[in-house]
């Protein structure tokens, strides 16, 4: 019964109409939004309603939370949910937002339980317990404003969240069937090995070599590229593109800003 009421509540939230303020924020901060088909825009706004109602945002390091911050982050996170059956990142409770690249509160706690993103300053991370995502607002805003540079902190962090939905941090999200898991494993391990080789030889790759760190980072990095450089990914890694298109139920080649950026 709980599931039934949750579904009802979410359906009511999704049916709420978005304010002009939201439209203005998304038009200004998230160029991707305006490129989506109108039906997808509506779906995304509905997901944002649920996301904002269910997740707790906290401003850290002196950051005063605004509607702009919450909507810009939530909308990017919800791009990964479009067209799919979703439970809205069920294990995620809080999004902690710092003004800019933040200092990890306890370096020694950053072990195998925490993924750090970035080099000198930490831009964001997801804890393995999954209940918290930590983001730097300047990086989240920059990622949204540059939809074709292949880098997007929010997509990256929430790809980790999807990876963990099956409670394993192995670079594979929840998939439907055994056959899908096998196809995923076959294609992803081959592509991961390729990126590792590229990193060693210095050969160019569509993917950031940060993805060569481990399979979890690989999934997060290819997710960024899938949405931001879909033409290049499809041309150079067609099988990987196909497997991601099937999982995300999206074909970003249709709406990405990549072609305009060339
Ligand atoms: Zn990561």
């Amino acid at each position: 019964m709980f599931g039934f009421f949750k579904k009802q509540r979410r359906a009511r939230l999704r049916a709420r109409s978005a304010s002009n303020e939201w439209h203005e924020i998304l038009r200004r901060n998230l160029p991707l939004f305006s490129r989506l088909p109108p039906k997808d825009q509506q779906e995304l706004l509905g997901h944002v309603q649920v996301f904002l109602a269910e997740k707790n945002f906290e401003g850290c390091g002196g950051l005063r939370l605004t509607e702009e911050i919450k909507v810009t982050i939530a909308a990017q996170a919800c791009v990964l949910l479009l067209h799919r059956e979703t439970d809205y990142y069920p294990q995620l409770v809080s999004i902690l937002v710092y003004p800019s690249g933040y200092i990890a509160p306890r370096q020694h706690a950053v072990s195998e339980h925490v993924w750090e993103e970035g080099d000198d300053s930490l831009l964001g991370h997801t804890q393995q317990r999954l209940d918290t995502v930590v983001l730097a607002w300047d990086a989240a805003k920059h990622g949204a404003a540059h939809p074709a540079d292949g880098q997007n902190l929010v997509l990256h962090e929430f790809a980790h969240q999807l990876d963990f939905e099956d409670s394993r941090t192995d670079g594979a999200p929840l998939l439907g069937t055994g056959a899908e898991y096998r196809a995923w494993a076959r294609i992803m391990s081959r592509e991961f090995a390729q990126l590792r080789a590229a990193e060693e030889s210095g050969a160019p790759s569509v993917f950031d070599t940060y993805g060569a760190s481990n399979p979890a980072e690989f999934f997060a990095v290819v997710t960024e590229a899938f949405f931001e450089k879909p033409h290049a990914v499809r041309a150079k890694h067609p099988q990987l593109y196909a497997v991601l298109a099937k999982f995300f139920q999206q074909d970003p080649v249709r709406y990405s800003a990549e072609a305009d950026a060339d």
Side-chain angles (χ1 to χ4, degrees), residues 91 161-170 172-174 181:
Q91 301 183 63
Q161 289 282 323
L162 293 178
D163 183 2
F164 302 153
E165 273 185 8
D166 59 359
S167 307
R168 283 178 305 189
T169 58
D170 54 359
L174 264 183
Y181 275 104

Side-chain angles (χ1 to χ4, degrees), residues 115-141:
W115 279 261
E116 297 177 358
E117 316 296 355
D119 300 325
D120 299 319
S121 61
L122 302 177
L123 299 178
H125 72 219
T126 290
Q127 299 187 0
Q128 197 165 16
R129 272 187 16 253
L130 283 188
D131 59 358
T132 310
V133 165
V134 186
L135 296 168
W137 166 232
D138 59 356
K141 194 176 178 189

Side-chain angles (χ1 to χ4, degrees), residues 115-117 156-157 160 210 216-217 220:
W115 279 261
E116 297 177 358
E117 316 296 355
H156 182 109
E157 292 306 324
H160 283 316
Y210 186 57
E217 293 309 336

